[in-house]
Amino acid sequence: MLSYILKRIAGAVPTILVVVTVCFMMLHSVPGGPFDGERQVSEAVLANLQAKYHLDAPLYEQYLHYLNNLIHGDLGASFKYADWSVNDLVANALPVSLTVGGISLVAALVIGVLLGVIAALRQNSLVDYFVMFLGNFGSAVPSFIIGPVMILIFCLWLNWLPYGQFEMTPEYMALPVGLLTIINVATLGRVMRGSLIEVLNSNFIRTARAKGLPMRTIVMRHALKPALLPIVTLLGPLAVSSIAQAVVTESMFSIPGLGRLLINGALNRDFTLVLGLVVLIAFFTVLFNLIVDIVYAMLDPRIRY
């Protein structure tokens, strides 16, 4: 298992390096600079700003300078937020995104797996039709449609929840967590249902039935573990999307998280902020996929070989 983990880590490093290199080159190839705003500055001030942020150096020197800082854990200085480094901005936004995304992912995992199991055991019943409807609804209707409807119902019509600002309290977190949970439940429930139905139709399950084992024993001891493998595969991308890529949700509910920070960085042409967030998202993607691979190998030892 240790050699398998080391191989996966060794394969992850070049992936992050490629992401950093491609994103760095793409951001610096975009027309316009971080100081090309509506307010014009003198050439002397512009020269000083470019010298301060090493923008007057050749591109390869800027790239090596950024890599050197990145190795030492420094994501650089923000062009837009004076006296703030990207590390400081990320440190303020990351706990908010982790809290909202983490709670929604855990809730979606529990509810989605439970609904998927019930739907698989009761095919063509009302519960099965409800799970299928929820899966199709969550996949077909985007979050920027579901979110405003939730705000209209719970904030404006029923006046149960506040809206317009965000605080780390249950009443402010209810809607964004609920929205992310609905989206993830749709995916997890549909995949769990299909996976469990496929396992229940396997030969070893037929053998267990022929031996007279109770259905509960068959599901809990023999069918549930292999049926969870596709769910484990999904957890990596879902964790990243819930925590770091909930751009629409964070903007909709005024959440000061990574998603809104990424939008502000793009609008302000804050290259270092955008690049720092992309690197962070790439790191989370590799980390969660590594965890998923390890859990997958623990559930199915054939994966290690």
Side-chain angles (χ1 to χ4, degrees), residues 79-206:
F79 295 145
K80 176 63 179 178
Y81 303 95
D83 301 326
W84 282 77
S85 67
V86 176
N87 293 51
D88 295 332
L89 294 172
V90 169
N92 286 338
L94 185 59
V96 180
S97 294
L98 283 176
T99 303
V100 175
I103 294 174
S104 65
L105 183 62
V106 172
L109 180 61
V110 174
I111 299 173
V113 170
L114 184 62
L115 288 178
V117 171
I118 295 174
L121 297 178
R122 298 185 178 182
Q123 292 184 59
N124 302 321
S125 66
L126 289 178
V127 177
D128 187 17
Y129 294 145
F130 171 73
V131 173
M132 291 300 296
F133 167 77
L134 186 63
N136 293 329
F137 180 81
S139 301
V141 183
S143 59
F144 58 81
I145 298 295
I146 303 176
V149 173
M150 294 174 67
I151 293 172
L152 182 66
I153 295 175
F154 295 103
C155 300
L156 300 180
W157 288 354
L158 300 176
N159 201 25
W160 286 354
L161 297 170
Y163 177 68
Q165 58 181 349
F166 182 80
E167 297 178 8
M168 294 291 282
T169 56
E171 59 267 26
Y172 283 98
M173 294 173 62
L175 282 185
V177 168
L179 176 58
L180 290 174
T181 300
I182 290 174
I183 297 172
N184 290 333
V185 160
T187 303
L188 292 171
R190 189 178 67 253
V191 172
M192 186 66 201
R193 174 188 179 274
S195 177
L196 186 57
I197 289 176
E198 183 179 353
V199 172
L200 290 176
N201 291 324
S202 301
N203 291 331
F204 72 96
I205 296 296
R206 293 195 186 96

Side-chain angles (χ1 to χ4, degrees), residues 38-50:
E38 296 179 356
R39 182 182 177 183
Q40 298 295 326
V41 296
S42 64
E43 293 185 0
V45 173
L46 183 60
N48 288 334
L49 288 173
Q50 289 181 337

Side-chain angles (χ1 to χ4, degrees), residues 54-78:
H54 304 284
L55 296 177
D56 55 347
L59 188 58
Y60 76 91
E61 288 187 11
Q62 295 182 45
Y63 173 69
L64 294 176
H65 179 73
Y66 185 81
L67 278 186
N68 181 56
N69 289 341
L70 188 62
I71 292 173
H72 293 85
D74 183 6
L75 296 175
S78 169

Side-chain angles (χ1 to χ4, degrees), residues 210-229:
K211 290 180 179 178
L213 291 177
M215 194 61 190
R216 174 178 295 182
T217 303
I218 293 175
V219 173
M220 298 301 294
R221 291 187 179 179
H222 302 287
L224 198 55
K225 185 176 177 180
L228 282 173
L229 291 178

Side-chain angles (χ1 to χ4, degrees), residues 202-260:
S202 301
N203 291 331
F204 72 96
I205 296 296
R206 293 195 186 96
T207 303
R209 286 176 174 170
K211 290 180 179 178
L213 291 177
M215 194 61 190
R216 174 178 295 182
T217 303
I218 293 175
V219 173
M220 298 301 294
R221 291 187 179 179
H222 302 287
L224 198 55
K225 185 176 177 180
L228 282 173
L229 291 178
I231 296 295
V232 173
T233 306
L234 273 177
L235 284 182
L238 286 182
V240 175
S241 64
S242 297
I243 294 173
Q245 297 182 358
V247 176
V248 176
T249 304
E250 292 190 356
S251 300
M252 195 181 307
F253 295 98
S254 303
I255 301 175
L258 296 178
R260 201 171 73 164

